[in-house]
Amino acid sequence: MTGAIAAPLTAHWSRIMKRWNGWGDEATTYPLPDVAAAYLEALVGRGEPEPDAEFPSAIASVPPSRLPSHSLVSDDPAERLLHARGQSLPDWVALRSGLIGVFSDGVAYPTTDEGVQSLFAFARKTAARLIPYGGGTSVVGHINPLKGDSPVLTLDLSRMNRLLQLDQVSGLATFEAGVRGPDLEDQLRPQGFTLGHFPQSFELSTLGGWIATRSSGQQSYHYGRIEDTFAGGHLETLAGPLDLPPLPASAAGPDIRHLVLGSEGRLGVITRAIVRTRRLPEVEQFYGVFFHNWQAGADAVRAIAQAEIAVSMLRLSDAQETETTLALSGKERLVRWADRGLRLLRYGSERCLLVLGVTGGGGAVRAAYRQATSVCRAHGGLMPLRPIGSIWRKSRFLAPYLRNTLWEKGYALDTVETAVPWSAVMPTAAAIKASIASALTEFGERVLVFAHLSHVYLDGASTYVTFLFRRAHDPEETVERWRRLKASATLAILAQGGTISHQHGVGLDHAPYLTAEKGQVGMAMLQAARRALDPEGMLNPGKLLAGE
Ligand SMILES: Cc1cc2nc3c(=O)[nH]c(=O)nc-3n(C[C@H](O)[C@H](O)[C@H](O)COP(=O)(O)OP(=O)(O)OC[C@H]3O[C@@H](n4cnc5c(N)ncnc54)[C@H](O)[C@@H]3O)c2cc1C
């Protein structure tokens, strides 16, 4: 087994030109082959695309700024447009239709703690609201300015992007919090270290954003979620600076770091983060393993997790996701060949694909591979296929680009995610999928829905559900279809006792459901923390805590 570990994870990451109304780098596309278009048409009907609004006309809709001038603040309409929305489905509809409505009055790019403090003083003087902004990749409305009488100032942290210190003995790296994933890894890897935090939004999302939303990377099974790697750092709050020392463990009362994790810009601006890094692994490899059905695959994945076998990733698609991934892959001949072979081996229409990763030192990786594949075999898994794992590795950050292509063909795509204990995983996945599948019956629309188990724990797993439906001619109706889908899926999650978000956070879209998860007392604790650090309610109002 070998793996080109020190190489960049994406070929072009330092030259990225961010799309203003879709996902990712302008120069990267994910073409949809004719056979894939026909596949989608058969499942949900032919897409009827509407033309998108042009950038200049969207800029023309930006109103004059309500803020006076400040040396760190730009009121340029193009900058304000580029920071107006994130990546949620309503954000896409707004940007593509040009009906954006609300904009920040200015965008500031602080480069120091003092810069952030001076922007706080400016906001106090002008009664402005402040939105900390990392990469703007939120999928739940975290960074959207809201309508109101107060001016809104977006604090874009992207110019705070340096590695300040690497303690090689402890493996602790201190970064400015606006550093994007690729720039973070580019600064660590030459020194032989990696953070290993790879959300699918890796190209554009930032360390501060990961902490503020409690994000989870593709190999969280090995590297941990962001809360496992966030060791400390520094926040500028409206009540003063807050230092979080990087203690490996502490019994000194509740851990303040856990209040900062998931704080969604409500408690302060994270300007520096100290993270636990690892030595670059000697070996990294991915494999595809087919199972006869989802239950067999899920049993294998649970057995691997509960035996604590040291794999780095377990990502199990259901049958519909397995079929759709192959249909949309553009590798028609390979898929036909694989289908024939799999059927001969009696892996029929219920077959499911597990992508299994192993990462680490040579001996440990060989042992993990042997143990994991033996569990897979015991559950009817086919022998591990390395070419499938290599295809997954190559396209690990490419899949979100499909959303651009699908949109242009007249389809909208979104996801919901949750986590539950193992005993509830399969019923929860079934309930979410059933609720989504029937949510648009009233509109006479069909929905393609599929799922995977992605982040796996000793006691449970996350379920990640994707749904695809036709856009309406009227943008507001597209949003209404999405609202129905999102609400019915979220209610199904709550009915099963799942979290309202395993990794995307709360933002605007999940805020109405937070009390159902935290309870009245839990909400009062969060509100008290917010009031202690931001008594005037200046930071990112309306997000996380609805109505505050
Ligand atoms: C295509 C795609 C794939 C994705 N895949 C994943 C995935 O695999 N795993 C996952 O967990 N998420 C994923 N996401 C969701 C998103 O990328 C994460 O929520 C990410 O952590 C957001 O980081 P960001 O830097 O873009 O933050 P932003 O979107 O800019 O901000 C998110 C929130 O964090 C706050 N914030 C940002 N920076 C700071 C700071 N320095 N100080 C204080 N508050 C701050 C903001 O105020 C806001 O409330 C995906 C999103 C997309 C569009």
Side-chain angles (χ1 to χ4, degrees):
M1 289 183 203
T2 55
I5 305 300
L9 289 160
T10 64
H12 59 275
W13 64 26
S14 53
R15 301 188 302 278
I16 208 163
M17 278 291 291
K18 191 174 163 184
R19 271 193 178 79
W20 75 275
N21 63 354
W23 174 248
D25 176 27
E26 295 259 6
T28 305
T29 54
Y30 190 131
L32 200 62
D34 289 345
V35 55
Y39 174 82
L40 294 178
E41 195 175 324
L43 286 171
V44 297
R46 179 186 272 275
E48 292 170 6
E50 293 289 323
D52 291 333
E54 301 285 341
F55 191 57
S57 71
I59 290 184
S61 72
V62 180
S65 171
R66 294 170 290 179
L67 284 170
S69 69
H70 181 285
S71 59
L72 290 175
V73 177
S74 163
D75 64 0
D76 175 23
E79 291 296 308
R80 291 164 58 204
L81 169 59
L82 292 172
H83 291 81
R85 293 290 190 139
Q87 291 287 323
S88 73
L89 202 278
D91 293 342
W92 269 57
V93 173
L95 292 168
R96 295 280 182 156
S97 65
L99 302 171
I100 299 152
V102 186
F103 297 87
S104 288
D105 293 272
V107 181
Y109 296 91
T111 54
T112 59
D113 289 351
E114 293 70 31
V116 173
Q117 286 161 13
S118 112
L119 291 162
F120 282 176
F122 175 67
R124 275 212 171 96
K125 213 160 92 192
T126 55
R129 302 290 172 249
L130 295 160
I131 303 180
Y133 184 103
T137 67
S138 160
V139 285
V140 289
H142 279 118
I143 51 83
N144 300 9
L146 304 180
K147 214 183 241 162
D149 295 335
S150 307
V152 181
L153 176 59
T154 296
L155 261 59
D156 182 324
L157 277 297
S158 62
R159 293 190 191 158
M160 299 185 76
N161 56 17
R162 291 171 306 156
L163 170 62
L164 300 175
Q165 199 194 352
L166 177 61
D167 168 354
Q168 298 214 1
V169 176
S170 319
L172 291 173
T174 306
F175 278 98
E176 290 178 318
V179 64
R180 288 187 313 179
D183 299 328
L184 178 148
E185 286 291 332
D186 277 353
Q187 293 179 77
L188 280 181
R189 288 181 170 228
Q191 307 196 55
F193 289 83
T194 177
L195 179 61
H197 191 76
F198 307 122
Q200 219 173 26
S201 57
F202 176 76
E203 286 166 287
L204 292 171
S205 54
T206 65
L207 178 56
W210 299 339
I211 296 164
T213 60
R214 283 186 175 261
S215 97
S216 195
Q218 291 163 338
Q219 285 157 274
S220 67
Y221 193 80
H222 176 69
Y223 290 108
R225 291 166 59 87
I226 200 68
E227 56 259 41
D228 302 315
T229 57
F230 175 54
H234 180 87
L235 272 83
E236 288 299 328
T237 82
L238 287 149
L242 174 63
D243 276 314
L244 301 166
L247 302 170
S250 162
D255 194 332
I256 310 278
R257 291 173 293 194
H258 278 271
L259 258 187
V260 170
L261 285 156
S263 56
E264 304 195 351
R266 295 303 311 261
L267 300 184
V269 177
I270 306 160
T271 56
R272 284 184 296 289
I274 305 169
V275 284
R276 303 182 176 108
T277 65
R278 311 275 179 101
R279 292 261 171 207
L280 277 169
E282 272 171 44
V283 178
E284 180 152 271
Q285 208 54 258
F286 298 94
Y287 298 88
V289 181
F290 280 98
F291 288 89
H292 291 290
N293 54 55
W294 209 33
Q295 183 68 59
D299 288 344
V301 164
R302 178 168 59 84
I304 293 171
Q306 293 183 336
E308 299 186 69
I309 298 172
V311 295
S312 59
M313 195 182 86
L314 292 161
R315 185 188 189 283
L316 177 72
S317 298
D318 70 2
Q320 185 67 65
E321 183 169 289
T322 302
E323 182 186 290
T324 305
T325 307
L326 296 177
L328 304 190
S329 69
K331 300 190 185 321
E332 233 176 291
R333 276 183 51 198
L334 182 70
V335 170
R336 259 204 316 272
W337 171 85
D339 180 52
R340 226 171 290 146
L342 286 165
R343 283 185 191 282
L344 277 175
L345 294 166
R346 301 186 189 285
Y347 290 81
S349 56
E350 288 304 304
R351 68 189 168 219
C352 291
L353 177 63
L354 167 71
V355 181
L356 179 149
V358 282
T359 302
V365 157
R366 272 193 296 278
Y369 174 83
R370 234 185 1 258
Q371 293 162 6
T373 51
S374 136
V375 174
C376 289
R377 266 198 308 278
H379 289 84
L382 191 60
M383 82 191 168
L385 302 167
R386 195 156 142 186
I388 292 190
S390 305
I391 292 172
W392 180 85
R393 183 208 287 264
K394 274 196 206 124
S395 62
R396 62 189 295 181
F397 303 116
L398 192 61
Y401 286 87
L402 185 57
R403 201 181 186 196
N404 298 327
T405 319
L406 290 169
W407 186 272
E408 280 139 30
K409 302 261 179 212
Y411 299 107
L413 180 137
D414 202 11
T415 60
V416 290
E417 30 88 49
T418 185
V420 284
W422 277 116
S423 52
V425 166
M426 298 306 267
T428 302
I432 302 170
K433 288 193 283 183
S435 74
I436 289 176
S438 61
L440 297 188
T441 314
E442 197 186 307
F443 294 85
E445 292 292 327
R446 286 172 287 160
V447 186
L448 171 60
V449 53
F450 46 82
H452 63 257
L453 305 186
S454 45
H455 302 272
V456 173
Y457 307 92
L458 206 58
D459 54 339
S462 73
T463 303
Y464 189 93
V465 181
T466 303
F467 51 93
L468 178 143
F469 59 102
R470 295 198 309 163
R471 297 202 271 127
H473 292 292
D474 174 5
E476 188 41 49
E477 192 183 325
T478 303
V479 174
E480 184 50 33
R481 289 181 188 179
W482 170 83
R483 266 192 214 109
R484 298 282 178 103
L485 288 157
K486 181 84 177 172
S488 62
T490 309
L491 293 175
I493 287 170
L494 289 173
Q496 297 292 325
T499 171
I500 57 167
S501 176
H502 167 266
Q503 65 202 58
H504 289 159
V506 179
L508 274 183
D509 298 340
H510 294 151
Y513 305 101
L514 190 62
T515 309
E517 180 163 335
K518 303 287 185 207
Q520 297 294 347
V521 175
M523 290 301 288
M525 289 167 75
L526 293 178
Q527 287 156 352
R530 199 277 296 159
R531 283 179 201 138
L533 293 181
D534 177 17
E536 297 135 286
M538 290 166 66
L539 279 167
N540 215 5
K543 319 299 166 50
L544 181 66
L545 305 169
E548 290 226 355

